[in-house]
Amino acid sequence: SLCEIALYRPQKVCLCPFLPLHPLHISTHLYIIQHPAEENKVLRTVPLLAACLPQDKCKVKIGRRFSEERDPELSTVCRKSDTLILYPGAEAANLEEFILDSPIYPSTIIIIDGTWSQAKDIFYKNSLFRLPKQVQLKTSVSSQYVIRTQPTNRCLSTLECAAAALSILEKNDYIQETLLRPLQALCSFQLQHGAQIRLSKEHLLKNGLYPKPMPKNKRKLRKMELLMNSVKI
């Protein structure tokens, strides 16, 4: 239940007043592909997202590997011409521009939930996820999920990605405002009870504030250098 979210602090927070009275009316189907490691994290955003949407429009699939044999339903969804997958990259079209030119209006969007390395592993090691049209969000907005460290200043939480994508697909800004409300409340409560604002790894590196020693592994070191130079990784 979202009524009591257990925290690593003494307080229990009720977020029910910040949820919509009724699930949001949307026509888009949302599939969240969640890395198993996300299940046990306390401050995660997918339960908040699911609590705001109709059960038949928001489905969470947990796992690292997916195939036609393991998940025929997901396989069918990925093969449909009106399915999108939200994952940034050189091959990705900007969502707002894509729906203007697309002859088939999207009915389904898939979003991967996990750290950036987990999401990358899921996307590239499951051929199913390269069947839908790949799209990304064109945004310069910083994440409001300030109690969890992001790799760069432009990285958004799963809830924020879903909120932005659904508001674009449904052509309704109210959806984004409504979905962000419980996230803003969660962060506010946490900050009031001892949590610290988490700056992005990119910000810490650029300003000489990164608390850990630089990695000796060449691949990891290269990633750090790219972050410092604001290069997409």
Side-chain angles (χ1 to χ4, degrees), residues 84-154:
L84 306 176
I85 186 162
L86 189 70
Y87 188 83
E91 302 297 314
N94 288 323
L95 179 58
E96 285 182 282
E97 295 166 12
F98 174 76
I99 60 173
L100 292 175
D101 301 327
S102 176
I104 302 171
Y105 202 83
S107 71
T108 304
I109 188 161
I110 298 169
I111 299 178
I112 302 173
D113 179 46
T115 65
W116 278 97
S117 60
Q118 289 165 354
K120 185 177 181 180
D121 177 74
I122 288 173
F123 181 73
Y124 285 107
K125 291 188 179 175
N126 289 281
S127 57
L128 276 182
F129 297 140
R130 291 195 298 287
L131 295 175
K133 177 64 183 175
Q134 184 183 347
V135 294
Q136 62 189 358
L137 296 170
K138 186 179 181 180
T139 179
S140 57
V141 177
S142 294
S143 175
Q144 296 185 45
Y145 191 27
V146 294
I147 54 175
R148 190 164 169 181
T149 303
Q150 305 287 1
T152 76
N153 297 330
R154 298 171 303 282

Side-chain angles (χ1 to χ4, degrees), residues 152 154 202 223 225-233:
T152 76
R154 298 171 303 282
E202 174 190 5
K223 272 190 177 183
E225 290 169 349
L226 290 172
L227 277 175
M228 289 174 75
N229 295 310
S230 297
V231 176
K232 286 186 179 180
I233 57 172

Side-chain angles (χ1 to χ4, degrees), residues 205 210 214-215 220-228:
L205 285 166
Y210 192 65
M214 293 297 275
K220 289 183 178 179
L221 185 61
R222 177 63 180 151
K223 272 190 177 183
M224 293 288 201
E225 290 169 349
L226 290 172
L227 277 175
M228 289 174 75

Side-chain angles (χ1 to χ4, degrees), residues 27-88:
S27 57
T28 308
H29 289 82
L30 173 65
Y31 279 80
I32 303 291
I33 308 302
Q34 187 176 76
H35 190 280
E38 284 294 309
E39 270 191 288
N40 298 321
K41 289 182 178 171
V42 176
L43 300 175
R44 54 205 168 104
T45 65
V46 168
L48 298 178
L49 178 62
C52 296
L53 300 175
Q55 287 186 0
D56 65 328
K57 295 291 171 67
C58 180
K59 293 192 177 179
V60 181
K61 302 270 188 181
I62 300 168
R64 292 185 181 88
R65 300 292 174 261
F66 298 87
S67 65
E68 194 156 0
E69 297 74 28
R70 289 183 185 181
D71 200 321
E73 178 201 0
L74 187 60
S75 175
T76 301
V77 167
C78 287
R79 292 177 191 282
K80 288 171 62 181
S81 58
D82 57 356
T83 297
L84 306 176
I85 186 162
L86 189 70
Y87 188 83

